[in-house]
Amino acid sequence: MFSDRTLPPAVAAVRDAHAPEALVLDCAQDFETLPPAQAEELGLVTESLDPASYPTAWLPDDTPDLLRRYASDEFTVGAPGDGGVAWTHQTRPPVVLVKPRLAGSPDAFVDFLLAEALVEVGLDVPEHFLGFFGERYRDLATATADRVDPVGTYQLAAALYTAYLGLHTRETFADWEDDRAALHDAWVDAGERLAPRLADLPSDLAAGSTDFGDAAELACSAVKHGVEPPTPFGALDTAAYREHGADFAVQWAEKTFDRLD
């Protein structure tokens, strides 16, 4: 199911700098959330497993089954929206998992995704938005209840956590311009590709042609790539969000959805 991935020198250097103990593994099968039987196989290639679990009191009654499963004591790795690379601290050492869906993707793009994951592993932050929001996830759900369904709240929470991570990682990516130019260029290129879609986002959101969760995903990706997000997401591209985290995100959601009413 898993095999060691050979890293190009630039990515190996990122691992040495940010997550020297991390294993980078190719996966034989694609996944959104790794099936439990396959997840347990990580125990064969790591020293130990330490599955995370979270209090059910953090979850609203109408929480999607996927999130309720993630909060349980079942060993759950990966979530929808992770893309072609996922990582977990639930193993010792931590692992970065590369999915088969990336086969055929440009090498520069794959290298950046690996480097990004290794930088995030090195931050020692929660690997999922539930660990980030904690008990405040219920408050986020309350703030959004009249506008989006529980799946939409899940999508928004994931996007908000992407922006928060981006506020911590993008300085590192920007610093790669001189010594890791190819990785830096891939980060910049991804941001530039977002720009045309961001320009129309406020009008699309107002017209209802883009739902709020999709808009949040796009705008929060812009934060990660150092691109200014449009209204109402600009407040997330601030030092205040980086400092105050989940409390700030919930307050932003409350104010934003109040204005939409």
Side-chain angles (χ1 to χ4, degrees), residues 76-213:
T76 306
V77 177
D82 283 346
V85 175
W87 57 266
T88 183
H89 279 135
Q90 298 178 81
T91 60
R92 297 292 180 272
V95 296
V96 175
L97 302 174
V98 186
K99 304 174 187 179
R101 72 181 66 173
L102 288 179
S105 298
D107 290 343
F109 173 69
V110 176
D111 289 350
F112 170 71
L113 292 181
L114 292 174
E116 177 185 43
L118 289 163
V119 171
E120 291 177 352
V121 169
L123 292 175
D124 195 24
V125 294
E127 65 191 68
H128 190 277
F129 69 73
L130 186 57
F132 169 67
F133 279 100
E135 62 184 1
R136 300 233 58 189
Y137 186 72
R138 293 185 70 98
D139 298 324
L140 181 70
T142 298
T144 63
D146 293 336
R147 285 282 179 170
V148 299
D149 62 15
V151 173
T153 300
Y154 178 108
Q155 185 181 19
L156 174 60
L160 290 170
Y161 190 44
T162 292
Y164 179 78
L165 285 177
L167 292 172
H168 288 76
T169 59
R170 66 186 188 183
E171 292 178 5
T172 298
F173 303 153
D175 286 344
W176 288 344
E177 184 173 8
D178 294 328
D179 58 344
R180 294 169 187 148
L183 293 174
H184 175 270
D185 290 348
W187 172 68
V188 171
D189 179 67
E192 290 175 345
R193 291 174 184 272
L194 293 172
R197 299 169 63 194
L198 290 168
D200 296 330
L201 197 58
S203 58
D204 289 345
L205 196 56
S209 57
T210 296
D211 66 35
F212 199 88

Side-chain angles (χ1 to χ4, degrees), residues 51-56 59 66-76 90 130:
S53 61
Y54 303 93
T56 56
L59 304 178
L66 178 64
L67 187 55
R68 195 168 295 281
R69 173 184 162 197
Y70 187 87
S72 74
D73 57 5
E74 179 180 296
F75 184 36
T76 306
Q90 298 178 81
L130 186 57

